[in-house]
């Protein structure tokens, strides 16, 4: 008969009998574990101070590199004005930007060790340019502006912010005078006559009364002018309450007429026109005479014709006084002792000019009486002068 073994029973019996169990190992003795002792880190005081200084130095350098300098370019100084109202000007040197530029120079000196920063300051300083919107011709109460320009890129590179680059000023303190135009209503025109070419200048009397005197000259060019030069006593003008403008003026005028001295300077048509007009003038004179006489003999002109037309010197003592002479033949009904001398002469002298427009102007300088004078058959109508 099988018997079932109770495992719990076996275990209990084994423990009671103290029978060694072949599969059990004795426990190993464990060595005691020694824990490492943790110590706190202590930095020496000197090293700590050095470290802090280094950190501060680096931080300061970073601060300096990032710092932006604020510079007002213009100071508040005021300009001085001189002259008189209407013709005032800024007196002396005026550079309110100098204080700002000095401040930039100081900033620049702080960065001598930084080549790039120093170059930026140099470029910024070189780029600054300042001026007035108007520095002359000022009058009381007028407002003018003084402004500066600069290179903004150089300012940014130099870490500079420029402020106050413009100031306005009101003009004051200028003497009050009435400005007089010393060439007001002055005019000039060429006058030609048998006496020659004359420049006729007209000057208002009130300008003369102020003691203003004038000289002038003709300047020939494509656009000719008369250049007037005025001279005056400034103190005398101020006493009268005036100040004068500029002392010169160019007055536009026609080209100066040219006096002709040779028939070749006249066209055929111009010569014909002159001689016909002189003949008409001679006929008019003869009509005014009523009758002509040679001694006691009354003579009638039956025909007038041109004999010659030439240039001649009007005076031996004045070789430039060239005159044109038209000689006319007068056919008459004279039946005196010398029948062959029934043709007499009458001559006309004239001065001829070429005007600016190209036309010709002539001025007769001969007049006639109503008598024929001469000898041996050469009789001419008596000339009585101008």
């Amino acid at each position: 008969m099988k018997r079932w073994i109770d495992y719990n029973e076996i275990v209990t019996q084994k423990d009671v009998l103290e029978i060694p169990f072949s599969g059990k190992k004795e426990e190993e003795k464990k060595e005691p574990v020694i824990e490492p002792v943790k110590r706190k880190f202590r930095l020496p005081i000197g090293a700590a101070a050095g470290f802090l200084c280094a950190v501060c130095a680096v931080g300061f350098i970073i601060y300096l590199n990032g710092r932006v300098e604020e510079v007002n370019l213009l100071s508040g100084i005021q300009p001085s004005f001189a002259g008189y109202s209407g013709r005032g000007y800024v007196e002396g040197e005026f550079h309110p930007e100098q204080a700002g530029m000095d401040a930039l120079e100081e900033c620049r000196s702080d960065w001598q060790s930084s080549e790039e920063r120093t170059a930026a300051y140099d470029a910024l300083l070189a780029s600054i340019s300042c001026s007035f919107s108007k520095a002359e011709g000022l009058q009381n109460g007028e407002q003018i502006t003084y402004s500066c320009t600069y290179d903004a890129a150089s300012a940014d590179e130099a870490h500079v912010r420029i402020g106050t680059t413009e100031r306005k000023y009101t003009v004051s303190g200028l003497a009050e005078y009435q400005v007089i135009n010393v060439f007001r209503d002055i005019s000039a025109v060429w006058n030609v006559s048998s006496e020659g070419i004359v420049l006729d200048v007209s000057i208002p009397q009130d300008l003369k009364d102020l003691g203003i005197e004038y000289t002038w000259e003709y300047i020939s060019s494509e656009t000719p002018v008369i250049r007037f030069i005025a001279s005056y006593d400034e103190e005398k003008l101020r006493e009268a309450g005036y100040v004068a403008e500029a002392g010169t003026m160019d007055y536009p005028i026609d080209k100066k007429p040219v006096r002709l001295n040779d028939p070749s300077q006249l066209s055929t048509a111009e010569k014909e026109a002159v001689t016909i007009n002189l003949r008409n003038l001679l006929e008019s004179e003869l009509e005014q005479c009523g009758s002509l006489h040679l001694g006691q003999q009354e003579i009638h002109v039956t025909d007038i014709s041109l004999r010659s037309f030439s240039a001649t010197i009007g005076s031996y003592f004045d070789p430039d006084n060239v005159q044109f002479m038209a000689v006319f033949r007068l056919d008459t009904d004279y039946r005196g002792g010398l029948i062959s001398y029934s043709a007499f002469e009458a001559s006309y002298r004239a001065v001829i000019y070429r005007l600016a427009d190209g036309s010709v102007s002539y001025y007769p300088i001969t007049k006639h009486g109503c008598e024929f004078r001469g000898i041996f058959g050469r009789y001419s109508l008596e000339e009585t002068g101008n």
Side-chain angles (χ1 to χ4, degrees), residues 282-304 329-334 342 344-346 368-373 379-382:
L282 175 60
E283 291 178 350
S284 177
E285 284 189 332
L286 295 179
E287 289 177 0
Q288 292 175 11
C289 284
S291 63
L292 301 174
H293 294 84
L294 176 56
Q296 298 298 319
Q297 179 75 39
E298 184 177 354
I299 300 175
H300 297 91
V301 176
T302 60
D303 187 42
I304 299 176
R329 172 187 169 117
L330 304 181
D331 291 315
T332 71
D333 62 353
Y334 177 67
S342 61
F344 305 140
E345 290 183 351
H368 296 96
C370 300
E371 296 283 339
F372 284 101
R373 297 293 178 91
Y379 290 93
S380 296
L381 198 60
E382 178 186 15

Side-chain angles (χ1 to χ4, degrees), residues 8-319:
N8 291 329
E9 180 181 348
I10 293 173
V11 173
T12 305
Q13 291 177 359
K14 182 179 178 180
D15 291 337
V16 171
L17 296 177
E18 297 181 358
I19 299 174
F21 187 74
S22 58
K24 184 179 179 181
K25 292 183 180 180
E26 295 183 0
E27 293 183 0
E28 294 181 359
K29 296 183 178 180
K30 295 181 179 180
E31 295 291 332
V33 178
I34 301 174
E35 295 289 338
V37 178
K38 294 183 179 181
R39 297 182 179 179
K40 293 183 180 180
F41 175 76
R42 297 181 181 276
L43 187 66
I45 295 176
F51 176 76
L52 290 175
C53 289
V55 171
C56 291
V58 172
F60 185 67
I61 292 173
I62 294 173
Y63 164 74
L64 287 179
N65 284 328
R67 184 183 63 184
V68 176
E69 300 286 350
E70 298 277 352
V71 176
N72 285 330
L73 193 55
L74 296 181
S75 66
I77 63 174
Q78 296 290 316
S80 297
F81 302 103
Y84 53 89
S85 187
R87 290 294 181 272
Y89 56 90
V90 178
E91 186 178 27
E93 296 292 329
F94 183 70
H95 296 292
E97 72 277 11
Q98 191 57 55
M101 295 185 71
D102 291 343
L104 287 173
E105 283 284 5
E106 292 180 5
C107 295
R108 176 183 175 278
S109 64
D110 293 339
W111 289 99
Q112 293 294 339
S113 59
S114 173
E115 184 175 346
E116 292 183 0
R117 192 77 168 267
T118 301
Y121 270 104
D122 289 340
L124 174 58
L125 286 165
S127 71
I128 295 174
S129 177
C130 305
S131 62
F132 276 107
S133 59
K134 182 181 179 181
E136 297 179 342
L138 306 177
Q139 59 184 359
N140 287 327
E142 182 177 6
Q143 192 174 73
I144 59 176
T145 302
Y146 190 84
S147 58
C148 298
T149 59
Y150 63 93
D151 183 4
S154 296
D156 290 341
E157 190 175 350
H159 292 195
V160 174
R161 183 178 294 113
I162 301 294
T164 315
T165 60
E166 181 177 293
R167 286 188 181 276
K168 296 184 181 297
Y169 304 96
T170 300
V171 180
S172 61
L174 299 176
E176 293 285 352
Y177 294 104
Q178 182 178 346
V179 179
I180 185 172
N181 180 1
V182 295
F183 301 108
R184 171 180 49 80
D185 297 332
I186 285 182
S187 63
V189 65
W190 294 114
N191 279 337
V192 292
S193 68
S194 60
E195 300 297 326
I197 304 169
V198 177
L199 181 66
D200 188 4
V201 176
S202 175
I203 300 173
Q205 186 60 44
D206 62 327
L207 297 180
K208 295 179 182 179
D209 293 341
L210 289 171
I212 305 173
E213 298 179 348
Y214 302 87
T215 58
W216 52 82
E217 61 176 327
Y218 172 65
I219 299 180
S220 178
S221 63
E222 289 298 320
T223 54
V225 297
I226 300 297
R227 178 159 295 166
F228 286 96
I229 302 173
S231 58
Y232 43 82
D233 186 332
E234 292 185 358
E235 189 61 31
K236 183 177 179 180
L237 285 181
R238 287 194 177 95
E239 289 176 359
Y242 296 103
V243 288
E245 293 182 330
T248 61
M249 180 191 70
D250 288 345
Y251 183 87
I253 196 170
D254 289 336
K255 287 185 177 181
K256 186 177 181 179
V258 178
R259 183 167 178 170
L260 305 185
N261 55 22
D262 192 278
S264 64
Q265 295 173 303
L266 296 167
S267 68
T268 300
E270 289 171 339
K271 283 188 286 188
E272 289 179 354
V274 169
T275 55
I276 289 174
N277 288 336
L278 290 176
R279 174 179 169 172
N280 292 336
L281 185 59
L282 175 60
E283 291 178 350
S284 177
E285 284 189 332
L286 295 179
E287 289 177 0
Q288 292 175 11
C289 284
S291 63
L292 301 174
H293 294 84
L294 176 56
Q296 298 298 319
Q297 179 75 39
E298 184 177 354
I299 300 175
H300 297 91
V301 176
T302 60
D303 187 42
I304 299 176
S305 60
L306 180 66
R307 173 170 289 182
S308 64
F309 181 71
S310 62
T312 181
I313 296 177
S315 170
Y316 178 81
F317 300 100
D318 185 9

Side-chain angles (χ1 to χ4, degrees), residues 306-378:
L306 180 66
R307 173 170 289 182
S308 64
F309 181 71
S310 62
T312 181
I313 296 177
S315 170
Y316 178 81
F317 300 100
D318 185 9
D320 293 328
N321 183 19
V322 177
Q323 301 170 356
F324 287 81
M325 179 177 287
V327 179
F328 295 96
R329 172 187 169 117
L330 304 181
D331 291 315
T332 71
D333 62 353
Y334 177 67
R335 294 295 181 265
L338 300 174
I339 303 298
S340 59
Y341 293 110
S342 61
F344 305 140
E345 290 183 351
S347 60
Y348 252 110
R349 287 171 291 120
V351 176
I352 301 178
Y353 299 95
R354 177 78 66 190
L355 303 182
D357 61 2
S359 63
V360 167
S361 179
Y362 69 95
Y363 297 86
I365 56 177
T366 305
K367 288 185 178 181
H368 296 96
C370 300
E371 296 283 339
F372 284 101
R373 297 293 178 91
I375 190 172
F376 301 120
R378 298 185 61 84

